[in-house]
Amino acid sequence: MKRVKYLLMSPTTHPPTMRSKLDDTTQQLQTQLLRQVGQAISEYGLIEAGDTIMVCLSGGKDSYALLDLLLVLQRRAPVRFDLIAVNLDQKQPGFPAHVLPEYLTSIGVPFHIETRDTYSIVQRLIPDGQTTCSLCSRLRRGHLYRVATQVGATKIALGHHRDDILETLMLNLLFTGKLKTMPPKLRSKNGRHLVIRPLAAVRETDLTLYAERRGFPIIPCNLCGSQEDLRRKEAKAFLREWERRAPGCTDSMFAALSNVAPSLLLDKQLFDFRALRLEDTGMEEEDAWLDQEGA
């Protein structure tokens, strides 16, 4: 397949200041998002001096916001890092191939467009009526890993946000029997790539509002004709309903992912239950509540 490079700028070239000055409301929202992104970067070591970050740009609100916020941080951060935006054109019918190159050129960001007809492969292999998202994402991941090597990226940045993380947690709990989700930082199975998610602590509603106020040229995600996985839709609706019933419960869920007690779970690889023995600590009151519970 033909690979097309629309623009490659020197790594030493800094993008110009983006667009006009923000209004006060948008500025406040951007400041909030930058604080959340900056905290994630600091806590999980997502970006280091000398990094070349490959920002995967789909044309959706999340990836646009990710690139936009990283550009601001690039200008303000005490450490030097470079950014390159990468889009995988999967030859979906009706995909407006001009939108991303025109946008990225207008803001002066180095970018690379990779053209691969994964759409035809997915349509050939997946029966009619079944979701294509799983196979499509696997094919896309493989190409993006390869492109990351080609452009010399040290990190691959994805636009997954807090809601994506909680929905994935629910899906794994309910359907795979695993207590896992999308981590802020992940090493690929071959050990050659580091995937980062700087938006890990950002709410989807805030990203939606930010994209609207910034006027990003959004490309619809339904061009392939496939519907979003029904189970993920249900998980999203479930979490929204519980947040409506008990405001703050999703905050508690998200906090729990950073507050794990291995000895109070059942995973023998995380805690050696067989080696657990009696130990006199002299703290008689510690488990007094047990005596108050009905046997």
Side-chain angles (χ1 to χ4, degrees):
M1 295 293 176
K2 183 180 179 182
R3 294 195 300 273
V4 181
K5 291 184 179 179
Y6 289 91
L7 173 68
L8 285 177
M9 295 170 62
S10 167
T12 60
T13 302
H14 281 285
T17 301
M18 297 175 61
R19 305 183 182 182
S20 58
K21 184 178 179 180
L22 304 182
D23 61 74
D24 290 343
T25 302
T26 306
Q27 184 66 63
Q28 290 174 2
L29 178 57
Q30 185 185 78
T31 298
Q32 171 192 322
L33 299 180
L34 288 172
R35 183 171 58 250
Q36 293 171 330
V37 171
Q39 184 174 353
I41 290 173
S42 175
E43 290 182 353
Y44 298 101
L46 303 187
I47 297 178
E48 300 165 292
D51 269 339
T52 296
I53 310 298
M54 185 179 102
V55 183
C56 297
L57 197 64
S58 66
K61 68 181 189 311
D62 305 329
S63 60
Y64 271 124
L66 172 62
L67 176 62
D68 190 80
L69 295 169
L70 289 180
L71 284 168
V72 177
L73 288 175
Q74 185 186 44
R75 296 194 297 271
R76 300 179 182 178
V79 299
R80 173 65 180 272
F81 62 91
D82 293 309
L83 298 171
I84 178 170
V86 170
N87 169 256
L88 178 62
D89 181 352
Q90 299 175 267
K91 304 308 294 181
Q92 296 167 332
F95 181 77
H98 65 284
V99 171
L100 290 174
E102 289 178 359
Y103 172 76
L104 294 167
T105 300
S106 72
I107 63 173
V109 174
F111 67 91
H112 173 81
I113 305 295
E114 183 78 3
T115 303
R116 296 280 168 169
D117 189 4
T118 61
Y119 174 83
S120 296
I121 297 175
V122 170
Q123 293 299 309
R124 185 174 70 251
L125 296 179
I126 301 297
D128 290 340
Q130 295 188 19
T131 180
T132 62
C133 300
S134 178
L135 176 59
C136 183
S137 64
R138 290 200 301 272
L139 293 173
R140 183 169 62 247
R141 186 185 311 120
H143 287 305
L144 290 175
Y145 281 169
R146 177 178 48 77
V147 173
T149 300
Q150 291 177 354
V151 301
T154 56
K155 306 277 176 59
I156 302 171
L158 302 179
H160 296 125
H161 46 69
R162 196 188 79 152
D163 297 65
D164 290 323
I165 290 173
L166 292 179
E167 291 160 17
T168 302
L169 173 67
M170 292 297 300
L171 290 172
N172 280 313
L173 282 172
L174 296 174
F175 302 112
T176 71
K178 295 179 180 179
L179 185 59
K180 70 173 188 177
T181 187
M182 300 172 173
K185 190 176 185 179
L186 176 70
R187 183 171 56 205
S188 64
K189 291 182 179 179
N190 63 13
R192 298 175 183 173
H193 303 284
L194 284 174
V195 175
I196 61 173
R197 296 181 171 96
L199 301 180
V202 178
R203 292 176 174 83
E204 184 176 17
T205 52
D206 290 335
L207 290 171
T208 300
L209 179 59
Y210 187 68
E212 290 174 355
R213 299 197 69 87
R214 294 291 278 142
F216 300 136
I218 304 298
I219 298 175
C221 61
N222 60 349
L223 294 172
C224 61
S226 173
Q227 298 299 314
E228 184 183 12
D229 185 6
L230 178 60
R231 285 180 173 175
R232 181 167 290 276
K233 280 187 174 181
E234 292 174 341
K236 183 186 291 290
F238 175 86
L239 291 170
R240 286 180 175 174
E241 174 62 17
W242 268 101
E243 183 64 26
R244 185 188 66 80
R245 294 186 183 186
C249 69
T250 54
D251 290 336
S252 182
M253 286 182 63
F254 188 73
L257 292 173
S258 301
N259 190 20
V260 179
S263 65
L264 301 181
L265 296 174
L266 281 70
D267 194 327
K268 300 181 291 295
Q269 297 183 42
L270 294 180
F271 187 81
D272 189 357
F273 292 95
R274 293 178 62 86
L276 194 62
R277 297 290 185 270
L278 292 173
E279 180 180 310
D280 186 0
T281 64
M283 298 176 64
E284 299 295 336
E285 300 84 5
E286 182 177 1
D287 295 327
W289 64 273
L290 289 171
D291 299 328
Q292 300 173 10
E293 297 291 326

